[in-house]
Amino acid sequence: MVDQQVVRISDLVVQLLEVSRLQLGGFVLKRSVADVSSLVDEAVQLAQVRTTRHELRLTAPAEAWALVDAIRLSQVITNLLDNAIKYSPNGGLIDVALEATGADALRLSVRDRGIGIPPEHRPHVFDLFYQAHAESHRSGMGIGLYVSRQIVELHGGQITLLDPEDGGAGIQAIVYLPSRLDAAAEARAEPHPRPSVRTA
Ligand SMILES: Nc1ncnc2c1ncn2[C@@H]1O[C@H](COP(=O)(O)OP(=O)(O)OP(=O)(O)O)[C@@H](O)[C@H]1O
Ligand SMILES: [Mg+2]
């Protein structure tokens, strides 16, 4: 239990540092071309290890390349999976789906079958420190979605929480992310200034 508390407190400290970095403008993405499919796969496997009551089911293409900050994007995926687990106290299925949409975009969906979010709270859940549920369901600080939205928007993407498409209980979180592979290709094509070589 002490170990768990230490992990929780250090997670909170890290999250608070992220928030101050975001607010002070010192939060810079380090982008490179990465396979988002494997990022999602890793995050799902790590989340599955933490719960026996939930079954995480992943649908994703073999590869989905995009110009992203892999560490930050993994943080977003993990936040969404954490929420899906935390707010489904009775366990159940969590569907995670990654797909390519349009020519140059990805769509990630995390759909749980938990307690959902009352409509009056929905507009606020991306606000810093906002929590939509009673004390009994709280364990974090209302930071995860705030940070996730900033990260997704810095990537030029969007994040939303919807009623599940199939009309069932729970929440469906959706992240749209431009792949930006054209930008990556352009950057590669630009001639790099060569260091001058001196010959003695
Ligand atoms: N999948 C979900 N189902 C139901 N409610 C959710 C879900 N995801 C988020 N919420 C609600 O939105 C609030 C804000 O979520 P957010 O992830 O920002 O904070 P948190 O989970 O309370 O704490 P943490 O900072 O540890 O993430 C939550 O407190 C919860 O009330
Ligand atoms: Mg959270």
Side-chain angles (χ1 to χ4, degrees):
M1 276 173 68
V2 171
D3 279 356
Q4 275 179 4
Q5 283 300 85
V6 169
V7 169
R8 258 189 66 190
I9 291 166
S10 66
D11 281 355
L12 286 180
V13 172
V14 169
Q15 281 188 309
L16 285 170
L17 282 172
E18 296 274 70
V19 169
S20 55
R21 236 180 255 134
L22 274 168
Q23 297 197 328
L24 296 170
F27 195 96
V28 181
L29 293 183
K30 294 194 184 97
R31 297 193 212 216
S32 58
V33 176
D35 178 14
V36 178
S37 234
S38 56
L39 297 182
V40 175
D41 188 38
E42 277 163 29
V44 165
Q45 288 192 39
L46 285 172
Q48 184 65 81
V49 172
R50 295 200 311 270
T51 174
T52 48
R53 285 177 308 131
H54 302 81
E55 186 195 337
L56 283 89
R57 198 164 56 181
L58 172 63
T59 317
E63 294 178 353
W65 297 93
L67 182 62
V68 294
D69 185 324
I71 293 174
R72 298 299 187 196
L73 189 61
S74 294
Q75 207 180 330
V76 172
I77 303 162
T78 300
N79 278 335
L80 295 179
L81 297 176
D82 274 352
N83 284 349
I85 291 171
K86 186 156 72 172
Y87 301 108
S88 311
N90 299 326
L93 207 56
I94 295 170
D95 284 307
V96 183
L98 178 72
E99 60 186 282
T101 59
D104 197 24
L106 298 174
R107 176 187 189 266
L108 172 72
S109 153
V110 177
R111 187 257 199 264
D112 65 54
R113 288 161 178 79
I115 58 179
I117 302 178
E120 65 274 23
H121 291 289
R122 299 243 179 116
H124 309 292
V125 286
F126 291 100
D127 294 349
L128 184 55
F129 302 134
Y130 193 90
Q131 297 190 293
H133 294 97
E135 212 51 52
S136 55
H137 291 297
R138 289 185 190 167
S139 64
M141 283 187 68
I143 294 178
L145 287 180
Y146 170 81
V147 170
S148 298
R149 179 161 80 171
Q150 308 286 326
I151 293 173
V152 169
E153 289 183 352
L154 283 170
H155 279 89
Q158 275 184 320
I159 181 169
T160 48
L161 295 175
L162 305 171
D163 287 318
E165 279 161 357
D166 59 18
I171 278 290
Q172 183 162 12
I174 298 183
V175 175
Y176 293 99
L177 201 68
S179 315
R180 294 271 160 83
L181 293 176
D182 48 348
E186 265 168 38
R188 267 199 305 276
E190 260 173 36
H192 291 287
R194 283 171 181 272
S196 55
V197 180
R198 279 168 194 255
T199 45

